[in-house]
Amino acid sequence: MAGIRDVAKLANVSIATVSRFLNEDPNLSIQEDTKKRILDSASKLNYVHKKINRSVANITLILTVSEHDELNDPYFRLIKQGVIDEANRLKIKISQIVRLTGEISRISLEKVDGVILIGQVQQGFLSYLLSVTPNLVVVDDETPNMNYDVVYPDLGNIMINYLDSFYAHGYRNIFYIGGKRLLKNYQNDVIIEESDIRESTYQDWMTAHQLDSHCYIGDWSIFDGMRLADELLKDVNEIKSPTVVIVGSDPMAVGVYRSFQKHGILIPEQVSIVSFDNIEVAEFLTPPLTTNHIETEELGKISIRLIKERIDNIRSTPVRVSISGELITRESENIFK
């Protein structure tokens, strides 16, 4: 069965031009002969275009974090803001913003044109969403899947870059403090706890370099960052120089700072600290925190562009988009300056 790509190829125009023309985009300006080629090509291929009714487009945004967690950690808040801003720019309507609580079972998803899900959920729930609509984009979960679009930060490579850099500067005492990958169901119950990509990458790298790994894993809060740092200091009789602690998120790093400062550990003179996210507070810590900046709003914006391609029938093949990080060098370590 012919698709929009076949029509575009036969008419010798772009897929986007075919889609915009057949959907009667008022902002599209093309020659009459181009219009005729598109119509003739569609006729020859017996292509039946499902015209999009823009007035009833129905996009649902599903969040796996609570409002409380969103306020405490700007990561997910900024992704959501990126989704909303790009949807407004492209004139896409988000008719529902749903959080994963028991209430979701009472919200109708039967007539949606597309779903964007931010966070990590069990495969069964994803299968349910795909049964509702093939236009599904999952943000912040890089688990391989061939059935839907995925947008995620490239945390594994960021971790490898940290490890390679410190190793090259003679560091062999390398610790990791982070959290678990939590898979949830539609009622927001955690049903599976798995190693996060930062933890698994760290473990694999340390094993490959024949070094002892030192992982301290809890939740992603400031409190657990402090608690896990306290545990680390109890386990280590003496801080050997050089030592680095890689922390899975900036909020956790705030807790690590508090613990080390409480115990009189000097940063970076005795211990270097690096992290992920580059939230606003990172540059106001003492000393300012070296971290990796992730364009979290861009994650949300890309998800809208991907779902628009699906709804416009421009593309049916699932894609995976990874966002690289940018190292923000400050004063919590001495090797990147």
Side-chain angles (χ1 to χ4, degrees):
M1 189 170 107
I4 195 169
R5 186 182 299 274
D6 303 306
V7 175
K9 184 176 181 181
L10 184 59
N12 195 29
V13 296
S14 70
I15 297 173
T17 297
V18 174
S19 176
R20 292 177 66 189
F21 171 64
L22 294 179
N23 285 313
E24 300 178 5
D25 185 341
N27 297 315
L28 178 66
S29 177
I30 57 174
Q31 300 294 324
E32 288 301 320
D33 65 323
T34 304
K35 296 178 183 179
K36 186 175 184 304
R37 288 205 316 274
I38 293 173
L39 292 173
D40 289 346
S41 298
S43 178
K44 287 178 183 178
L45 294 170
N46 294 317
Y47 173 70
V48 179
H49 182 68
K50 296 179 180 178
K51 185 177 172 183
I52 300 168
N53 186 342
R54 302 286 180 185
S55 64
V56 296
N58 181 10
I59 305 300
T60 294
L61 174 61
I62 300 177
L63 309 170
T64 60
V65 295
S66 67
E67 290 185 77
H68 177 268
D69 290 341
E70 194 177 277
L71 287 171
N72 288 333
D73 187 345
Y75 179 80
F76 289 103
R77 184 173 72 249
L78 290 173
I79 294 176
K80 183 183 77 172
Q81 192 59 52
V83 171
I84 294 170
D85 289 348
E86 191 70 357
N88 289 335
R89 187 183 75 83
L90 295 177
K91 297 180 173 56
I92 294 175
K93 181 181 179 182
I94 300 176
S95 59
Q96 297 183 98
I97 297 180
V98 180
R99 295 188 186 274
L100 276 187
T101 67
E103 295 179 357
I104 195 172
S105 61
R106 297 194 292 273
I107 296 176
S108 174
L109 296 175
E110 296 304 319
K111 295 182 180 180
V112 296
D113 296 307
V115 172
I116 294 176
L117 184 145
I118 301 175
Q120 302 165 2
V121 299
Q122 67 178 125
Q123 189 59 47
F125 185 57
L126 292 171
S127 297
Y128 162 69
L129 293 177
L130 284 170
S131 72
V132 173
T133 174
N135 304 325
L136 172 64
V137 180
V138 177
V139 185
D140 195 48
D141 188 357
E142 61 180 273
T143 304
N145 192 286
M146 301 301 293
N147 298 317
Y148 51 82
D149 295 344
V150 179
V151 189
Y152 61 93
D154 195 2
L155 301 175
N157 272 327
I158 294 173
M159 174 62 82
I160 289 172
N161 290 337
Y162 273 148
L163 293 164
D164 286 346
S165 298
F166 281 103
Y167 188 85
H169 283 78
Y171 284 72
R172 299 297 182 267
N173 302 313
I174 305 174
F175 295 78
Y176 175 66
I177 292 177
K180 285 288 187 182
R181 178 175 182 265
L182 305 177
L183 298 184
K184 300 180 179 182
N185 62 16
Y186 76 91
Q187 293 178 319
N188 207 33
D189 298 322
V190 175
I191 59 167
I192 300 175
E193 293 188 8
E194 298 179 339
S195 293
D196 173 77
I197 185 65
R198 284 155 285 198
E199 178 190 354
S200 59
T201 301
Y202 165 83
Q203 295 276 23
D204 291 344
W205 189 96
M206 296 293 282
T207 299
H209 289 76
Q210 299 181 330
L211 296 175
D212 292 333
S213 62
H214 306 279
C215 273
Y216 293 82
I217 305 300
D219 62 40
W220 295 100
S221 67
I222 294 175
F223 174 81
D224 249 31
M226 182 169 62
R227 180 182 65 82
L228 294 169
D230 286 344
E231 287 186 14
L232 184 158
L233 292 175
K234 286 181 181 178
D235 294 341
V236 178
N237 293 326
E238 180 183 358
I239 297 292
K240 298 179 181 179
S241 182
T243 292
V244 59
V245 177
I246 302 174
V247 188
S249 72
D250 288 351
M252 292 193 84
V254 173
V256 173
Y257 264 58
R258 290 181 181 176
S259 171
F260 283 7
Q261 290 167 349
K262 178 178 64 177
H263 290 89
I265 304 298
L266 299 178
I267 306 168
E269 291 84 355
Q270 292 177 272
V271 178
S272 292
I273 297 179
V274 294
S275 183
F276 296 73
D277 292 345
N278 191 35
I279 64 175
E280 186 176 356
V281 71
E283 66 177 312
F284 299 108
L285 295 174
T286 304
L289 174 65
T290 292
T291 185
N292 224 282
H293 177 72
I294 298 167
E295 288 285 354
T296 47
E297 286 191 57
E298 192 63 26
L299 291 170
K301 291 178 180 179
I302 290 173
S303 70
I304 283 289
R305 296 174 207 148
L306 292 179
I307 208 162
K308 185 177 188 299
E309 290 178 358
R310 291 282 204 154
I311 294 172
D312 288 352
N313 295 314
I314 293 174
R315 171 181 56 81
S316 60
T317 303
V319 299
R320 293 166 54 82
V321 180
S322 65
I323 302 295
S324 300
E326 177 190 359
L327 181 66
I328 306 299
T329 301
R330 297 194 178 103
E331 299 170 25
S332 62
E333 44 68 39
N334 291 316
I335 74 164
F336 292 115
K337 296 178 176 59

